[in-house]
Amino acid sequence: MTLTNKTFIITGASAGIGQALAIKLAKQGSNLVLAARNQAALMKTADDCLKAGGQAIAVPTDVTNPEACQHLIEQGVSRFGAIAGLVNNAGISMYATFDTVTDLSLFEQIMRVNYLGAVYCTHYALPSLKASKGLLVAISSLCGKHGVPTRSGYVASKHAMQGFFDTLRIELQETGVDVLVVSPGFVATTIRDRVLGGDGTPIQASLQDESHQAMSVEDCVDQILQAMVQRRRELVMTPKGRLGLWLKLIAPAWVDWMTAKAIKSQRQASK
Ligand SMILES: NC(=O)c1ccc[n+]([C@@H]2O[C@H](COP(=O)([O-])OP(=O)(O)OC[C@H]3O[C@@H](n4cnc5c(N)ncnc54)[C@H](OP(=O)(O)O)[C@@H]3O)[C@@H](O)[C@H]2O)c1
């Protein structure tokens, strides 16, 4: 797949992976349709895309609202025409063991952004993607492959995302639309600064310093871009992440034990 003069819609483009991916695509001469809630930050990403050599529009969007998702896709099509790719990247995370959760709406909030937001945007973009034989990209997580303590709602939302896009990949086989599911490990963004606690509100302080083992955003985005060009079906990041998939088949209890140990040691390191 070539990227020059192609149009990509990216949700969650005001920060982190979505922002960096937009700028990288702009450097390749792509047109970007950028979505997130924070209008000022989104405009800044659009400006950076223009400076990088691409064209870009910012469409303030809350992906939990189906009408807003429809408006986003319509704006993209009316400004640039055919959509070559939709990157469902908007996401929020949590930090609380299930037995400490006091507000169950936490689970609904995460599901609405991470899973339903992707469903809505995909629904409205599909006719244009079919016409262009385009690419659907889901930014999931290694949490879409395994259970991870303190992240039950996030893990569930990413498993839902994985199942949804795995199904679409089969349904769309005859249409020329390809589906790529991306599963990063820890990436050095500020996602953990916005993480929700057990009461459903942002904790507003990163409880864990995972930066020592996080992949850089640049590395993450380079891998995503390469997988998009190759129209791969899956991108599971890090050798540990890929090994974990195989180990889970033969020794699942051992993988659980290693995951629990890793989360415990991170908690201790951050104290
Ligand atoms: N960082 C990691 O370690 C990591 C690892 C694996 C997977 N991921 C996944 O990668 C994706 C991007 O994460 P990131 O690390 O780049 O996070 P980030 O820096 O916190 O960025 C998240 C983006 O999602 C947007 N967003 C949140 N709620 C939204 C809503 N209701 N409507 C529209 N946009 C919304 C945010 O913009 P606004 O707040 O302006 O709306 C922001 O642009 C997420 O799906 C995440 O689950 C991240």
Side-chain angles (χ1 to χ4, degrees), residues 18-259:
Q19 181 185 51
L21 181 63
I23 296 167
K24 204 92 182 192
L25 279 164
K27 282 186 184 153
Q28 309 276 331
S30 305
N31 310 318
L32 282 315
V33 182
L34 308 170
R37 293 163 306 171
N38 183 333
Q39 186 165 0
L42 206 57
M43 298 290 282
K44 165 88 173 64
T45 307
D47 201 38
D48 289 345
C49 287
L50 294 176
K51 285 183 190 142
Q55 299 199 62
I57 56 166
V59 186
T61 307
D62 182 339
V63 296
T64 65
N65 178 342
E67 286 84 32
C69 296
Q70 182 174 17
H71 175 73
L72 165 69
I73 307 300
E74 284 171 357
Q75 289 293 302
V77 172
S78 99
R79 173 66 177 81
F80 295 117
I83 304 298
L86 166 66
V87 183
N88 289 293
N89 166 75
I92 54 171
S93 190
M94 65 173 283
Y95 183 92
T97 57
F98 185 65
D99 59 5
T100 64
V101 170
T102 53
D103 185 343
L104 288 170
S105 73
L106 166 66
F107 287 82
E108 199 179 323
Q109 273 192 75
I110 294 179
M111 216 59 170
R112 289 180 72 202
V113 179
N114 297 5
Y115 170 59
L116 289 175
V119 171
Y120 300 151
C121 290
T122 299
H123 173 77
Y124 291 112
L126 206 49
S128 183
L129 287 169
K130 279 184 178 172
S132 67
K133 299 194 187 306
L135 180 66
L136 269 169
V137 183
I139 307 298
S140 180
S141 166
L142 290 181
C143 290
K145 305 285 189 188
H146 304 281
V148 179
T150 70
R151 312 281 206 281
S152 54
Y154 180 75
V155 166
S157 73
K158 294 299 186 181
H159 275 68
M161 205 181 192
Q162 178 87 48
F164 175 72
F165 284 102
D166 280 349
T167 302
L168 282 201
R169 187 185 296 109
I170 304 168
E171 288 183 359
L172 295 170
Q173 263 172 359
E174 309 293 318
T175 66
V177 176
D178 288 320
V179 177
L180 163 66
V181 177
V182 177
S183 303
F186 293 125
V187 184
T189 69
T190 52
I191 190 170
R192 278 163 281 277
D193 296 347
R194 287 182 281 278
V195 87
L196 302 177
D199 64 357
T201 65
I203 291 172
Q204 287 180 330
S206 199
L207 282 183
Q208 294 177 206
D209 179 17
E210 290 153 343
S211 54
H212 60 285
Q213 55 165 341
M215 175 183 282
S216 73
V217 185
E218 289 69 29
D219 188 3
C220 173
V221 164
D222 283 344
Q223 291 192 38
I224 295 172
L225 219 56
Q226 198 183 15
M228 286 172 68
V229 169
Q230 295 169 346
R231 294 178 78 108
R232 283 174 56 183
R233 54 182 285 142
E234 284 258 13
L235 169 60
V236 179
M237 290 187 188
T238 81
K240 250 191 202 170
R242 289 186 285 275
L243 182 64
L245 293 185
W246 289 104
L247 285 176
K248 199 176 165 185
L249 295 175
I250 48 171
W254 189 76
V255 175
D256 286 355
W257 181 78
M258 287 300 289
T259 308

